[in-house]
Each structure stands twice: as C-alpha cells, then as structure tokens.
Amino acid sequence: MKTKTIILILSFCLAVLSITLLQLKKSKTTLSDIPVGGDFKISTTNGEFDLAAKRGKIIILYFGYTFCPDICPTTLSTVGMALKKFSPEELNNIETLFIGVDTKRDTLEKLKEYSAFFHPSIIGGSTTPEKTREIANLFGVNYIINDPEVGKSYYVVDHSTQLFILNKHGKIAELIPHGENAEIIYETVLKYMKEKI
Amino acid sequence: MKNLIVILLAVMSVSALANGVMVHDAYIRLLPPTAKTTGAFLELMNHSDKDVKLLKAESDFSEKVELHTHIEKDGMMKMVEVKEIVIPAGKTVAMKPGSFHIMLIGLKNPLKENQETTIKLTFDDKTTQSVKLSVKKIMNDMKKGSKDHQH
C-alpha cells in the first residue's frame, strides 16, 4: 500500500514536471533564458529614455533593425494597431520603444522615420554596440549582425522577436511572441495599466 | 495587327497557366520612404497533379530580387535565401510575412502606396508568369490570417 502511494506521488510529480517542461518548450524559453529585465538608459529620437524615470507607465519594448524587411515591420505594425485602440489619455501612460540593434545602420534619424511610420508614439532608440548588447542581455534578447554573404551587397541581422510589456515598476510583465495579434497586445497592456502601483 | 495581338495575348495567357499555378493576393509591403528593401507576398495555388517549383522572381522594381524565407534558430529569426519553393500538387503555398517572401533589394525609388509593378516568376518546368502587384500598407491581423492555414 505504501509503495503504491509513493509510486502515485512520484508519477504525479513526473506529470507536473513534464507539463511544465512542455509549457516552457511551447513558449520557446528555457529556464536559463528567462530574462529579468532591468533599468537602462538609451538615446532616442525624443531625447534620453531612462527606464528608471518611467515608473507608473507601461512600456512596450522591442528589439530589431531598420533594414528589417519583414519581421520587424510585422510586429511594429501590429503594435501600431494595438496603440490605435487606446484613447489619447491612455496613450499618455504608454511608451513604446524600438531599439535598433544594428547600430551602424540604425541611426536616430533613420529610426525616427521608421518607428513613426507604424505609429507616431513609437520612439526609436540607439546607442553604442556595447551598450546595445548590455541592454539586450538584460532582456534575454539575442542578435547576430551577419557579414554580407558572398556576392551580396547587404547584410541581415538574426534577432529574437518577442515583444516585452513592462509593468509600472519597469519589470517584465509579459513576453509576447512574434505573430500575436493586436488584440492580445492591447489587452495585455490594458491589464497592466489597470494595476495599482 | 489587332488580330495578332489578340492571338498573342491568348497564347500568353495559356502559357501562363500551362503549369496549373495560379497566383492570388499579390502585394508589396509599404515601408517608410528611406527603406531600401521590402518584401513581396503572394499565394501560389497549384491546380495540377504535379509538384511545381518556383525557381526565380525578377523585377525592375529593385536592383536585386531574391526568394527568401525565415527560419527560427537559437530563439532568433534568421532570414535566408532559398533556391526554390515547392508548390505541392493541389496545394497552395502562401508567401506571407514571417515565411516565404520575395525580397526586393535595392529599391530604385522610394515606396509609395498603391504604386504598381510587375514581378516575373519562373518555374521549374520553364514556364513563366508575370504578376501585377501594388504597394500596400499591411495593417491586417497577422495571427488570424496565419491561424486559418494551420492544421
């Protein structure tokens, strides 16, 4: 009887573990990848962005590059659609920052035009390659700036594609994977906006 | 002369469908005017009972035209060139954001909404198709669209 109970408990634990692992795999994160986030400062098209000074606001954060012909525009246009659902008052409590990781090509001037194309409230941020890597590491974001392939005049950047929703404390509240719709982004932001500090 | 044109057009349209591939919903993604690259997307519907491969896309809209896709590697999206895109018999392949697309590299002019151009597609059976498409601002709901195609 005792052995039976132990086996039962063990199988239950195993089941819980497998489900947890499956869930982790599904969200494409492994334990070591779970980012913690953290405060950072970066130059933007609107002056300096200092996360520590943004308490009380919801931050939508995305890392990409302006040469990006597909993934970034898809995400940013979905973010743009989500932002359109908010009232001007609500928009005052949201800041959307697009960090250009391809620092050579992602000049502030370029970022300004690129970001605003998707929504006027999206701001572009850029800093040195070293600082960019530091900020990306805080959020578990990875990217590789490839050399141009033989015979090609351009180079592409491989990059993580998740969108970060930071709560009023500047902490990562949710990761939204690439390809989610505007409604999900809108509802997630709204949820954290309603939170009391 | 008029007759000749009619005959030519008839021959052309037949040859365009010789491999049974029909092209739907073709468009080019509108990006800010300084963008030097963008993607073209379309749906390829293979009505024949044989697999067909898309080998090449050509256009004078940009310096270079390549067939691309995205692969997920180490948690990152990586854009890569592909040699061919197989359209299985009786199936539809959607070249859509986040997946297969035609990369237009080195745009000759700044992108403008509703601007029109032509892309010539070449298939493995040597047939070609000229596809007319225009520049569109993509603001639709991506997930919804892609979910419908997942099984």
Side-chain angles (χ1 to χ4, degrees):
Chain A
M1 184 61 198
K2 228 177 180 181
T3 332
K4 231 179 179 177
T5 317
I6 292 171
I7 290 174
L8 258 172
I9 292 171
L10 276 177
S11 347
F12 177 75
C13 292
L14 201 68
V16 170
L17 188 71
S18 340
I19 290 167
T20 316
L21 284 175
L22 264 173
Q23 286 293 332
L24 281 175
K25 208 175 166 212
K26 226 172 143 187
S27 61
K28 305 225 163 40
T29 0
T30 56
L31 282 171
S32 60
D33 286 339
I34 293 173
V36 288
D39 287 335
F40 63 89
K41 289 179 189 175
I42 193 166
S43 311
T44 77
T45 47
N46 276 9
E48 191 189 59
F49 178 97
D50 179 1
L51 183 57
K54 307 285 182 191
R55 297 293 183 260
K57 286 193 175 192
I58 303 299
I59 312 294
I60 304 174
L61 177 65
Y62 185 66
F63 296 79
Y65 68 118
T66 57
F67 186 83
C68 189
D70 186 18
I71 301 292
C72 311
T74 299
T75 302
L76 291 174
S77 56
T78 315
V79 170
M81 280 169 62
L83 290 174
K84 277 191 188 150
K85 294 174 190 264
F86 289 102
S87 67
E89 293 75 38
E90 285 172 324
L91 273 181
N92 283 337
N93 295 312
I94 306 168
E95 286 202 22
T96 308
L97 177 64
F98 171 60
I99 297 183
V101 298
D102 183 8
T103 51
K104 208 162 96 188
R105 287 185 296 195
D106 295 340
T107 58
L108 284 182
E109 197 184 341
K110 193 89 194 279
L111 278 161
K112 185 172 190 157
E113 186 206 54
Y114 192 83
S115 311
F117 174 80
F118 301 101
H119 193 276
S121 76
I122 304 179
I123 52 171
S126 180
T127 180
T128 61
E130 297 75 27
K131 280 280 280 183
T132 307
R133 184 65 75 181
E134 269 175 41
I135 299 170
N137 283 343
L138 283 176
F139 292 88
V141 163
N142 200 5
Y143 56 91
I144 300 169
I145 300 168
N146 295 288
D147 287 328
E149 283 178 47
V150 179
K152 292 197 196 308
S153 56
Y154 67 92
Y155 63 92
V156 295
V157 178
D158 310 342
H159 62 100
S160 309
T161 56
Q162 66 272 42
L163 194 69
F164 296 90
I165 309 294
L166 310 186
N167 63 19
K168 292 179 180 175
H169 304 281
K171 296 273 182 285
I172 298 172
E174 305 248 356
L175 292 180
I176 298 181
H178 172 73
E180 278 301 357
N181 61 35
E183 194 60 34
I184 300 265
I185 300 171
Y186 169 75
E187 279 169 11
T188 310
V189 171
L190 201 63
K191 181 174 130 192
Y192 291 99
M193 203 185 249
K194 284 179 182 162
E195 267 188 354
K196 294 213 168 73
I197 295 187
Chain B
M1 188 58 197
K2 217 173 178 184
N3 282 344
L4 185 67
I5 291 171
V6 171
I7 292 166
L8 263 176
L9 280 174
V11 170
M12 274 165 70
S13 58
V14 169
S15 71
L17 285 170
N19 61 4
V21 174
M22 276 175 77
V23 178
H24 296 274
D25 302 329
Y27 62 94
I28 292 172
R29 185 201 288 270
L30 177 69
L31 284 177
T34 52
K36 290 280 175 268
T37 49
T38 192
F41 307 92
L42 45 90
E43 279 193 9
L44 297 158
M45 201 183 245
N46 184 354
H47 287 284
S48 78
D49 52 7
K50 270 199 327 206
D51 291 0
V52 178
K53 291 171 184 166
L54 172 65
L55 300 182
K56 201 164 68 172
E58 293 166 280
S59 174
D60 54 13
F61 198 68
S62 60
E63 304 293 338
K64 283 192 88 179
V65 183
E66 296 178 356
L67 300 176
H68 278 228
T69 194
H70 279 99
I71 51 170
E72 209 174 331
K73 204 182 157 217
D74 304 327
M76 288 180 281
M77 278 299 223
K78 190 179 178 67
M79 190 170 70
V80 289
E81 188 176 3
V82 289
K83 291 268 168 284
E84 56 184 42
I85 294 170
V86 181
I87 314 136
K91 294 269 160 62
T92 298
V93 170
M95 297 183 75
K96 58 176 191 230
S99 175
F100 288 121
H101 58 278
I102 297 168
M103 259 286 270
L104 300 163
I105 304 146
L107 296 169
K108 291 181 181 167
N109 294 298
L111 289 165
K112 265 191 244 141
E113 199 164 4
N114 299 323
Q115 188 181 357
E116 287 189 347
T117 190
T118 308
I119 292 181
K120 189 177 145 198
L121 305 176
T122 304
F123 298 90
D124 62 335
D125 57 0
K126 307 249 169 30
T127 57
T128 60
Q129 270 197 57
S130 286
V131 181
K132 260 200 181 160
L133 64 187
S134 56
V135 178
K136 298 253 180 273
K137 189 162 190 170
I138 311 186
M139 275 298 173
N140 57 337
D141 216 321
M142 300 301 162
K143 189 76 174 200
K144 247 187 199 159
S146 65
K147 239 190 182 158
D148 292 340
H149 292 105
Q150 281 169 8
H151 296 286

